[in-house]
Amino acid sequence: EKILQNLSSLFYGLISELNKNVNIIGKIDFSFAKAKYAVSIDATEPILESKKIISLQKARHPLIPANVVVPISIKLGIDFSCLIITGPNTGGKTVALKTVGLLCVMASSGLYIPAAEKSSVYVFDKVFADIGDEQSIQESLSTFSSHITNIVEILHNATASSLVLLDELGSRNRSL
């Protein structure tokens, strides 16, 4: 214990410098982790828009394997600021919504995004999502009520600078 106490006392005067070094090493490690992740998902640096514009080219959901994912291209905020996506079941509508939301959050967090060069996003003040499928007949009504509760919450908290993503809006299992 005396040896440990003596060694510790040698560093006592350097506590401030050691804390600074630990913080610097942490920041460097964080930067390397972000870079390693960007390489692993073949990501590019997004352009951060000053206007409420999303322009994603060949965007991919980062959790879907590259050999399986179907890239999407979406532009919002130039000619229109609201987009309704329709199509058959298993057509990729939910994945498209999740991809847009996730890439906007990734970019605003300082991460590169899995999309083509020159893809751009606006840094929204808040991102709201009500995304989920209604597969259970037994839980259909409670799931519908949950969607309505989420939408009311979104309406109370969203601002003009928020991104709102709604999936299966107003739907509920009709086979009851």
Side-chain angles (χ1 to χ4, degrees):
E1 283 184 32
K2 278 189 166 190
I3 294 172
L4 185 58
Q5 189 176 19
N6 284 339
L7 285 174
S8 297
S9 68
L10 293 174
F11 292 100
Y12 183 76
L14 303 172
I15 288 175
S16 175
E17 288 82 6
L18 289 172
N19 279 333
K20 287 178 188 175
N21 288 340
V22 167
N23 286 332
I24 290 169
I25 291 170
K27 289 177 182 177
I28 292 170
D29 185 52
F30 181 60
S31 294
F32 274 104
K34 289 189 332 183
K36 185 176 179 180
Y37 180 65
V39 168
S40 75
I41 62 170
D42 192 26
T44 61
E45 182 178 8
I47 298 166
L48 300 180
E49 295 282 354
S50 58
K51 297 179 181 175
K52 291 179 236 169
I53 294 172
I54 297 173
S55 179
L56 297 171
Q57 288 84 40
K58 297 181 182 176
R60 304 169 317 279
H61 193 291
L63 299 179
I64 300 175
N67 62 337
V68 175
V69 69
V70 176
I72 61 169
S73 294
I74 291 182
K75 286 188 180 188
L76 282 169
I78 298 168
D79 295 325
F80 51 89
S81 60
C82 182
L83 177 65
I84 297 175
I85 304 172
T86 64
N89 288 343
T90 69
K93 301 177 297 292
T94 299
V95 172
L97 281 175
K98 288 179 178 181
T99 300
V100 169
L102 188 54
L103 270 52
C104 285
V105 171
M106 287 174 68
S108 68
S109 299
L111 295 172
Y112 281 24
I113 60 173
E117 292 282 341
K118 299 187 180 177
S119 289
S120 63
V121 297
Y122 175 75
V123 178
F124 295 94
D125 65 347
K126 299 174 186 174
V127 176
F128 296 97
D130 183 63
I131 299 175
D133 4 353
E134 301 167 37
Q135 300 298 320
S136 170
I137 294 173
Q138 292 174 325
E139 296 180 25
S140 159
L141 197 54
S142 63
T143 302
F144 180 73
S145 299
S146 173
H147 283 300
I148 296 301
T149 302
N150 288 342
I151 291 167
V152 168
E153 186 74 18
I154 290 168
L155 287 172
H156 285 149
N157 293 299
T159 69
S161 293
S162 296
L163 176 63
V164 178
L165 303 165
L166 302 173
D167 189 27
E168 303 283 343
L169 182 62
S171 71
R172 90 168 223 237
N173 195 326
R174 303 196 192 292
S175 61
L176 285 176

